[in-house]
Amino acid sequence: MSEPSLTTDQQALVDAEESLFAAACPGAGKTRAMVARFLGRTADEDRQGIALLSFTNAAVEEVRQRCGQRVQALQAPHFVGTFDTFIHRFIVTPLYVNAFKKKPNYVQRWRDIPSASFRLSQIGRAKNLHLDWFDFNPVGRARLIESRIPRDFGSPTVLAELMTRRHTAEANASDIFGRLVRSGTISCVAARCLAEYWLQEADGQRILAPLLRSRFAEVIVDEAQDCGREELRILEFLRQQGTRIIMVGDTDQSIYEFRSATPDGMRAFADSLPGGPIQLRDNWRSTPAICAFNTSLRSGQLTELACGENSWNSTPVHLVEYKAYDEIVPIALGIAERNKLTADDLILLSHAETHGMKAAGVSGIDNTDPNRVARIASAGQILRSRTTDPRTRRKAIDQVQRTVLDALTADRETETGRQGFDAQCELAGVEPRWLEAFAVRMALRLDAADRTRNTFAAEVRTYLRDAEWGGTPPPNAADLGGLFRAPNEATWTNVTSTSAEPLMRFSTVHGVKGRQYPGVVLVVPDRLRTDAVTERNVVDDWEGDHNTEARRVLYVAGSRARHLLICAIHKRHIGRIETVLDKSNVPYVIS
């Protein structure tokens, strides 16, 4: 069956002759239109290349699949890939080779590099600092971002000490950044910094200008709202070389400011483009009620219109008032059944991972719980599950590793309090890889199911006492009783009453961007994040029509739904949200 014809708005994007920004609501068919333009332009352009860039590998793979048999469109001089790959291949590599006479080695993240962490001396019991916690300017100068410091970094006193010594931490981070770059180890963050630095230098411009000018006639940017300062600087440089810039996106889906996305900067750049703007406002994905919900959260002028097969669907948005997280799933499943959907059709979405996990009835690693026995029990549940994601499994393993280190270094607490993880392993006389394997075996062997808290604690102590430690000095049996006490009854009940198997699949909103589902259950928790500057939370922003990332996160969540949107709202906030929906004429019912 052949695909239906492009809409008038989609065709306008395909036929545009000048650089422009196309605003596209969710479900507007932007990928289809972009691919149609890309294939048309690659067929027409016989000398220069056409590039199509996005920000995720998944989005790039979708574009490649839609190109079908047109393999010549995916070959040089054309390019389809992520913005990171474009920066690496066409900007940083030629300039780095020119400057350092060797090719760089690219890594995805700083955390993939062991030497990208460091410790401040005399700061007490705390984790190592990591380069991921810093922003870097074009010359590699670091700035510590407080919101990136993990909650389990250290005690409030330790955190306060870090803040008083932040200049020292930033100097150390800057030094490590420089050493890694000079050695040829380049993360995506470092590549952006280098690109921005060289693009503002005359020598860098002189080298790059003829290379890019001769290579690309046009660059198409998908998900343009995710552009940061560095991407916009690159696009401006390309435009100066005569390259046509076609940007497609939705500024209300900009939810990556923590990754340096700059919505205001993107809007300013888009406004400077001579063509358009074009608006793709036909939503071929969602029902009229969901489109109305989305529009109530928009800060721009675009109004979504339900036009697809769901445009006839009169199902309202369902509001569910809850007091405890375990109330959400049973009610949601009842609503889904009445709308001929099953649990497999639904997904729980939340801004913070922990809220979705709790609603799904999944046990998680609680880094704030001091009881080591409870942590081991919880980690075992997670590792035995076939449905937990790699990130959660990694956290579980890390937690067990640290409990084992506690046992091996109990008599050297003063020394280990000032050491990072690798240094603690060295002090304990264990190899990190051996410790990881030991932690996994221990967590899987010790099953808390049908055990009392005292029985399980005794099993933990016995396992550590009788384990085969090889050449590593075993833990002192006298210390095990104090280190691995049974948790209190409330903690144990919480651990054993939850499961690693979810009652419903769940994700953070950031984790599903670009996807769609038959039904979405959006969780609005009791305690909402309050912005440190504005002192407002997301409900305040929604009521006051403030354009904030917190509000855009709700918008992205709601716009994933095709047939059914359920908003599970804590009783503290439901009255205010009802008022907002009434004001915006959103069809809804209280379930």
Side-chain angles (χ1 to χ4, degrees), residues 317-321 335 574 578 588-591:
V317 173
H318 288 257
L319 303 190
V320 172
E321 178 181 350
I335 296 171
I574 192 162
E578 282 186 70
Y588 72 90
V589 294
I590 305 293
S591 299

Side-chain angles (χ1 to χ4, degrees), residues 153-170:
F153 168 70
S155 67
T157 302
V158 169
L159 183 60
E161 176 65 16
L162 172 60
M163 291 299 100
T164 63
R165 301 178 60 195
R166 68 181 303 157
H167 294 301
T168 301
E170 290 168 347

Side-chain angles (χ1 to χ4, degrees), residues 373-388:
V373 170
R375 291 185 181 189
I376 293 170
S378 181
Q381 289 180 316
I382 289 171
L383 295 180
R384 276 185 289 273
S385 170
R386 296 182 179 180
T387 60
T388 48

Side-chain angles (χ1 to χ4, degrees), residues 158-296:
V158 169
L159 183 60
E161 176 65 16
L162 172 60
M163 291 299 100
T164 63
R165 301 178 60 195
R166 68 181 303 157
H167 294 301
T168 301
E170 290 168 347
N172 287 356
S174 300
D175 179 65
I176 294 173
F177 178 95
R179 286 191 280 111
L180 288 171
V181 167
R182 289 189 295 274
S183 71
T185 301
I186 310 294
S187 71
C188 290
V189 169
R192 283 182 167 83
C193 292
L194 290 172
E196 186 175 18
Y197 173 75
W198 276 320
L199 284 175
Q200 64 189 20
E201 293 290 311
D203 285 346
Q205 295 178 12
R206 176 181 54 80
I207 295 171
L208 278 182
L211 295 176
L212 295 176
R213 187 186 307 122
S214 62
R215 179 66 186 263
F216 294 110
E218 177 173 306
V219 171
I220 305 168
V221 182
D222 183 24
E223 302 290 356
Q225 72 277 354
D226 293 335
C227 284
R229 183 186 68 240
E230 299 92 344
E231 288 91 352
L232 294 175
R233 179 68 187 88
I234 292 166
L235 293 175
E236 176 58 32
F237 185 76
L238 285 163
R239 188 161 65 130
Q240 291 170 0
Q241 309 316 310
T243 302
R244 183 187 293 113
I245 306 298
I246 302 296
M247 304 178 74
V248 186
D250 181 358
T251 54
D252 283 304
Q253 292 191 62
S254 180
I255 58 172
Y256 291 110
E257 290 182 11
F258 66 92
R259 293 184 187 168
S260 302
T262 55
D264 292 339
M266 200 287 296
R267 290 189 194 95
F269 182 83
D271 290 342
S272 72
L273 300 178
I278 293 175
Q279 291 188 340
L280 281 67
R281 64 178 68 204
D282 293 342
N283 186 323
W284 299 87
R285 173 188 300 168
S286 304
T287 67
I290 295 171
C291 287
F293 178 88
N294 297 343
T295 299
S296 77

Side-chain angles (χ1 to χ4, degrees), residues 356-535:
M357 291 180 70
K358 289 179 179 178
V362 177
S363 59
I365 291 294
D366 184 2
N367 290 320
T368 63
D369 190 335
N371 187 272
R372 297 178 179 89
V373 170
R375 291 185 181 189
I376 293 170
S378 181
Q381 289 180 316
I382 289 171
L383 295 180
R384 276 185 289 273
S385 170
R386 296 182 179 180
T387 60
T388 48
D389 60 275
R391 178 184 172 189
T392 302
R393 295 174 69 86
R394 180 70 260 171
K395 288 167 66 176
I397 295 170
D398 288 347
Q399 196 62 72
V400 180
Q401 288 183 110
R402 293 187 181 279
T403 65
V404 176
L405 277 179
D406 287 343
L408 294 174
T409 59
D411 57 345
R412 288 168 283 184
E413 185 174 342
T414 302
E415 296 176 74
T416 59
R418 296 183 179 179
Q419 301 291 335
F421 178 76
D422 290 341
Q424 289 186 40
C425 288
E426 183 177 354
L427 186 65
V430 297
E431 289 289 333
R433 290 185 180 179
W434 180 91
L435 179 61
E436 179 178 354
F438 183 92
V440 172
R441 290 196 302 271
M442 178 179 176
L444 291 176
R445 178 71 178 272
L446 299 173
D447 191 347
D450 302 322
R451 299 292 197 276
T452 67
R453 58 192 179 94
N454 290 312
T455 299
F456 187 79
E459 291 178 353
V460 169
R461 295 191 293 268
T462 300
Y463 187 93
L464 290 170
R465 185 193 65 205
D466 298 341
E468 177 57 54
W469 295 96
T472 300
N476 189 332
D479 294 327
L480 296 179
L483 288 170
F484 296 93
R485 296 189 181 94
N488 61 43
E489 195 64 49
T491 298
W492 190 244
T493 299
N494 182 59
V495 169
T496 55
S497 64
T498 55
S499 168
E501 302 295 338
L503 302 170
M504 183 184 296
R505 58 180 167 169
F506 64 93
S507 173
T508 62
V509 178
H510 290 83
V512 297
K513 191 168 179 287
R515 302 179 185 177
Q516 56 180 299
Y517 303 90
V520 165
V521 183
L522 171 58
V523 179
V524 179
D526 176 12
R527 297 182 179 180
L528 301 174
R529 297 179 180 179
T530 299
D531 186 89
V533 177
T534 66
E535 298 184 345

Side-chain angles (χ1 to χ4, degrees), residues 321-331 358-359 570-571:
E321 178 181 350
Y322 74 91
K323 298 179 182 178
Y325 286 108
D326 60 9
E327 300 171 1
I328 295 174
V329 168
I331 298 175
K358 289 179 179 178
H570 190 270
K571 65 175 184 176

